Amino acid sequence: MIEKETDILIAGGSLGGIAAALAAAGMGYRVVMTEETNWIGGQISAQAVPFDEHPWIESFGCTRSYRKLRNEIRKYYKKYYPLTPAAQSDLYFNPGAALVSGLS
């Protein structure tokens, strides 16, 4: 058994758990995040479920950290996956053809 002392315990490594852990750590708290599976990211990484069901995310905005996450994932797909020229140049490239919103 491993014991850790912490200010905040995040139980679950879903996208929400990760966001909570990053926010708390960014405020200077000591954070321990646990996850019962062998991956973090929840459904976003386990099943490629789209990040955002809010259809206006591309035009009305979001937090800086969430925008960075979306942009970094888009960059990853463009760098490591074979894409058509149209997908490579698409500002709102949507890996996985998510039906709820584009990935930005």
Side-chain angles (χ1 to χ4, degrees):
M1 173 184 245
I2 298 173
E3 290 188 22
K4 297 276 185 181
E5 195 168 307
T6 188
D7 297 318
I8 298 175
L9 172 67
I10 307 293
S14 67
L15 191 57
I18 294 167
L22 288 172
M27 291 186 282
Y29 292 101
R30 294 174 302 154
V31 178
V32 170
M33 183 181 76
T34 65
E35 170 55 45
E36 66 179 329
T37 67
N38 60 357
W39 70 86
I40 61 171
Q43 289 188 16
I44 191 172
S45 58
Q47 299 175 20
V49 172
F51 299 92
D52 188 9
E53 295 189 21
H54 190 276
W56 301 285
I57 191 74
E58 304 297 352
S59 56
F60 290 109
C62 59
T63 65
R64 184 177 349 178
S65 61
Y66 189 59
R67 177 67 60 201
K68 181 179 179 184
L69 171 67
R70 291 167 68 92
N71 288 340
E72 291 299 317
I73 290 172
R74 177 178 281 135
K75 282 174 26 182
Y76 180 88
Y77 275 91
K78 286 184 175 186
K79 183 174 182 178
Y80 295 107
Y81 284 78
L83 301 174
T84 65
Q88 280 287 351
S89 63
D90 185 359
L91 179 62
Y92 298 115
F93 170 60
N94 183 4
L99 299 175
V100 292
S101 73
L103 177 64
S104 170

